Amino acid sequence: MPENVLFALALTLMAGLATGIGSFLAFFTSTTNTKFLSVSLGFSAGVMIYISMIEIYVKAQESLVSALGNAGGQWSTAGGFFGGMLLIAAIDRLIPKQGNPHELKRVEDMAVVNRSRQEPDLLKMGTFTALAIAIHNFPEGIATFASALEDPTLGVAIAVAIAIHNIPEGIAVSVPIYFATGSKRKAFKLSFLSGLSEPLGAIIAFLFLMPFLNDVTFGVMFAGVAGIMVFISLDELLPAAKRYDETHLPIYGLIAGMAVMAVSLLLFI
C-alpha cells in the first residue's frame, strides 16, 4: 500500500476520532467555553471555504478540462460541485431532528437529564444520534481522504478543520446518548466510536474509487468534495458558531481561518 494512502487514512482517522474530545469536554468540564467554540467553528469554516473555492475546485476543473475539453470540463466541475452539495443536503434531510448531531448542545445540558420520558423513547433518541453522526461523517471521511491523497499539505489542513468541527459534534452526541442510557461511559464510548465512520468512508473510497481513478473520476470527486465542504461551512459551522456567540467572533474566526490557509498555500508555491 503506497505511503501516501496510509498517511491519508491516518489523517481521516484523526479527524473522525476528534468527536472523543467533545465527549471528554461534555463529561469532565462544568461549563461550555462558548467563545472558544465560536471562534474555532468560524476558523474551521474559513479553512474549508477558502480551500474549497481557491484550491480544490480549481484542481478539479483542471483535471476535467484536460480530459473533457474546456466546455465539458467546466460544466462537469460545476455539476460535481453542486452534486456534492445535494448529497450532503440529502443526508441532513434524512436525519431525524432529535438525532441530528448539529442540533446545538452545551455541557450544562448534562445536569438536566429528563427522567420523565419513557425508556424506549430515550433509547431511540440515543440510537438516532449515534447513527446520525456516523452517516454524516461518512462523506467527510471521503473528502479528507481524497484531499490528502492528492496533496498531503491540503489534507492536513482539511483534517484539522474537520477535527475542530467534530468537537462540538462530540458534545451534541454525548448528551442525548447519556439521556438515553444514564451511563457516561457508554455515551463516551458510542460517541467516540461514531467518529470511526470517517475512516470507514476513506477505506470505502480507497477500495471502490481508487481502481477507477483517472482525470474524470478524480475531477468529479474533487468537485464534489468542494461542494460538501462549502455546504457544511454555510449550513452548519457558521450558524452553530453564531449560536454559541452572537458577537463578531465567528466572522473573526472565519477570516483568520482563510488567512492562515492562504499563507499556508503560498508558502508551498
Side-chain angles (χ1 to χ4, degrees):
M1 188 181 292
E3 185 177 329
N4 60 334
V5 171
L6 290 174
F7 179 72
L9 288 172
L11 278 180
T12 310
L13 178 64
M14 179 210 76
L17 294 184
T19 54
I21 298 174
S23 299
F24 183 89
L25 291 174
F27 297 127
F28 299 104
T29 60
S30 57
T31 58
T32 304
N33 189 336
T34 54
K35 292 186 184 299
F36 170 76
L37 283 176
S38 180
V39 173
S40 297
L41 288 169
F43 184 92
S44 179
V47 168
M48 287 190 183
I49 292 171
Y50 191 90
I51 287 180
S52 297
M53 302 308 299
I54 302 299
E55 190 78 4
I56 296 178
Y57 190 94
V58 172
K59 287 190 175 185
Q61 193 172 63
E62 288 172 354
S63 291
L64 288 168
V65 166
S66 69
L68 303 175
N70 186 55
Q74 299 275 7
W75 277 100
S76 297
T77 307
F81 179 77
F82 290 106
M85 287 188 165
L86 288 174
L87 171 65
I88 197 70
I91 289 173
D92 268 355
R93 292 284 293 177
L94 291 172
I95 295 173
K97 183 177 176 61
Q98 71 267 30
N100 196 319
H102 298 113
E103 290 297 309
L104 193 64
K105 303 280 192 310
R106 299 173 187 264
V107 173
E108 292 87 339
D109 293 340
M110 296 299 296
V112 194
V113 179
N114 183 358
R115 290 298 177 192
S116 65
R117 297 182 62 179
Q118 294 299 311
E119 190 65 21
D121 291 337
L122 292 171
L123 288 173
K124 184 178 179 181
M125 182 173 65
T127 303
F128 271 141
T129 306
L131 182 62
I133 193 170
I135 293 171
H136 200 279
N137 283 358
F138 189 81
E140 292 176 9
I142 296 175
T144 307
F145 177 76
S147 304
L149 203 60
E150 167 63 16
D151 185 340
T153 304
L154 200 63
V156 170
I158 291 172
V160 170
I162 288 180
I164 291 171
H165 137 261
N166 280 348
I167 291 173
E169 280 194 2
I171 297 173
V173 171
S174 293
V175 171
I177 290 178
Y178 178 54
F179 286 175
T181 64
S183 168
K184 289 185 177 182
R185 178 179 295 181
K186 184 175 289 187
F188 178 86
K189 182 176 71 174
L190 290 176
S191 60
F192 187 84
L193 291 176
S194 67
L196 289 177
S197 63
E198 289 204 18
L200 179 62
I203 290 169
I204 288 177
F206 171 71
L207 293 175
F208 292 99
L209 297 179
M210 287 286 287
F212 306 101
L213 203 60
N214 53 38
D215 282 347
V216 174
T217 55
F218 168 79
V220 170
M221 182 171 67
F222 236 43
V225 164
I228 287 170
M229 293 205 301
V230 169
F231 185 92
I232 288 171
S233 299
L234 298 179
D235 183 62
E236 298 164 10
L237 300 186
L238 288 177
K242 201 68 178 175
R243 289 197 298 272
Y244 274 122
D245 193 293
E246 295 183 357
T247 64
H248 295 297
L249 287 179
I251 199 66
Y252 296 156
L254 175 82
I255 293 168
M258 288 185 168
V260 168
M261 202 60 250
V263 171
S264 299
L265 293 175
L266 290 171
L267 288 175
F268 289 96
I269 288 178

